[in-house]
Amino acid sequence: MKQKIVIQVSVSSDKSRRKVMTTAAKTTGVVSVGITGDSRDMLEVVGNDVDTVSLVGRLRKKLLGRLLLGRLRRKLLGARIVKVEEFKDKKKKEEDEKLPYWYPGYYYPHHQYPSHMVVADQPSSCAIM
């Protein structure tokens, strides 16, 4: 099942955004990654059967790095799941609406042979004929 995941990430620089996008792109099953939102703080991930919790855990680890930060700083440099929904591709939906092309199979013509008619010149005693 293809799904769309929106994750809010607290990043301030383009370098951090690139790190976040690279980390998300390396995750198994991810098809596309993009940054959206007015303040460019939403990470939009589209993929097949992506483990969302694992992805957010990796992003948090990447954002925090190996630095020992205070509690307030950890809250600011985080990632949280905003929305997970089924993704329906617009192109695929348009293709589904079109009628599929019908490939004619092999056609074996069935000839109808003329029926044989028996004409009897002599009258017979049979009632059917």
Side-chain angles (χ1 to χ4, degrees):
M1 172 180 81
K2 207 168 198 182
Q3 58 188 2
K4 176 180 165 183
I5 306 163
V6 179
I7 302 169
Q8 183 179 13
V9 290
S10 301
V11 291
S12 57
S13 66
D14 288 333
K15 184 177 179 182
S16 299
R17 286 186 189 97
R18 273 182 279 178
K19 284 183 181 181
V20 166
M21 288 180 69
T22 305
T23 304
K26 289 181 181 178
T27 305
T28 306
V30 172
V31 176
S32 68
V33 178
I35 297 283
T36 59
D38 295 335
S39 59
R40 297 183 63 197
D41 63 342
M42 298 289 182
L43 179 69
E44 189 173 293
V45 179
V46 177
N48 295 323
D49 297 327
V50 178
D51 186 6
T52 309
V53 176
S54 173
L55 175 62
V56 170
R58 283 187 194 164
L59 292 175
R60 286 178 181 160
K61 191 173 184 180
K62 186 60 116 178
L63 289 172
L64 292 175
R66 294 177 183 242
L67 300 174
L68 297 174
L69 303 172
R71 288 183 184 171
L72 179 62
R73 182 83 187 238
R74 285 182 190 220
K75 287 182 181 178
L76 294 175
L77 289 177
R80 69 180 184 91
I81 302 168
V82 176
K83 158 172 69 169
V84 178
E85 63 184 12
E86 186 177 348
F87 181 73
K88 294 184 181 178
D89 195 12
K90 293 178 184 177
K91 292 178 185 177
K92 192 172 185 180
K93 188 176 181 181
E94 290 173 3
E95 289 174 5
D96 290 342
E97 290 176 0
K98 293 180 184 177
L99 293 175
Y101 182 76
W102 179 73
Y103 291 99
Y106 291 104
Y107 177 69
Y108 296 104
H110 298 284
H111 297 291
Q112 201 168 16
Y113 296 105
S115 59
H116 296 288
M117 193 183 324
V118 178
V119 179
D121 291 337
Q122 299 173 353
S124 68
S125 61
C126 181
I128 295 175
M129 289 181 79

